[in-house]
Amino acid sequence: MEALVAQGELTDPASPRGRLLNAAALLFVEKGFARTTVRDIAAEVGILSGSIFHHFRSKEAILCQVMREVTIFARARMEAAVAQERTPRGRLRACILCELEAIHGRAVPGFTILVSEWRSLSPESQRQVLQLRERYERLWRDVLAEAGRMDDPALARRLLQGSLAHSYHWFRPKKQGLSLDELAGQVLSLYCR
């Protein structure tokens, strides 16, 4: 994360703007975008609600920036994990585990709002996030193509994306008796038989 902050791709989480983004991400996950007020975000970081508009023009601009930064951070984590693996199967497992960790809030706070709050963005904001998201999705498609077991990597990605994203609603490590790492192994075995 430090390298991404130094390059200007991510906001320093310790800065006032970074604290606002982190508070907003957590509140958007917990309460939803529509039910989170600017006052809620301001109260979470201990400032007056009007002070937020020094950093952002609207609540929707905050959501857009959270989604942009979540996407950048998730992609960087996945790129690093994939680079450490030597085999196509290992790279696919790394992608699966990174996404599961992000979905379950273990590595990328706010990742689930990429799906749950998509419709809250204006068309222009959606375009901005989609441009960033394309690099993340291209990494997935490249890894799936390299794994060589799927005729259509884009279709395989859509299927994986749906199943992984939905795990947020049902997967509980204690209940299933699996860790996220073990779940990643199970998903990998389903797609790479």
Side-chain angles (χ1 to χ4, degrees), residues 2-175:
E2 292 169 6
L4 294 171
V5 170
Q7 295 166 6
E9 287 195 64
L10 292 181
T11 304
D12 180 352
S15 71
R17 183 179 168 93
R19 290 179 37 238
L20 283 171
L21 288 170
N22 287 331
L26 295 173
L27 288 168
F28 294 157
V29 168
E30 181 184 311
K31 296 173 69 170
F33 176 75
R35 290 190 312 267
T36 300
T37 66
V38 171
R39 284 185 180 165
D40 293 335
I41 298 167
E44 192 70 25
V45 293
I47 62 173
L48 297 173
S49 59
S51 300
I52 287 179
F53 299 108
H54 172 72
H55 300 279
F56 299 97
R57 70 184 184 289
S58 66
K59 186 173 80 163
E60 193 260 345
I62 297 170
L63 177 63
C64 182
Q65 189 62 31
V66 166
M67 287 185 171
R68 290 170 53 83
E69 294 206 9
V70 162
T71 302
I72 291 166
F73 186 56
R75 184 199 72 237
R77 282 190 76 250
M78 192 177 296
E79 285 173 345
V82 165
Q84 292 179 356
E85 294 297 328
R86 298 191 188 284
T87 66
R89 186 177 174 95
R91 287 186 278 280
L92 180 54
R93 189 178 196 290
C95 285
I96 292 167
L97 181 58
C98 281
E99 190 153 304
L100 282 170
E101 289 172 341
I103 288 165
H104 292 275
R106 307 269 170 84
V108 184
F111 190 82
T112 57
I113 65 172
L114 289 170
V115 174
S116 65
E117 298 297 344
W118 183 250
R119 289 191 173 105
S120 300
L121 290 177
S122 68
E124 176 55 32
S125 292
Q126 286 180 356
R127 278 190 290 281
Q128 289 176 26
V129 175
L130 278 175
Q131 286 176 340
L132 291 171
R133 181 85 181 174
E134 177 52 30
R135 286 184 61 197
Y136 179 84
E137 293 301 327
R138 188 176 13 197
L139 176 59
W140 262 106
R141 290 189 306 270
D142 291 348
V143 167
L144 285 163
E146 183 187 35
R149 290 193 163 75
M150 293 85 181
D151 291 335
D152 183 348
L155 175 61
R157 171 58 184 142
R158 284 188 207 102
L159 292 169
L160 269 167
Q161 183 179 24
S163 61
L164 296 177
H166 191 67
S167 72
Y168 179 77
H169 299 288
W170 62 265
F171 180 74
R172 303 291 175 267
K174 290 181 183 175
K175 186 175 181 182

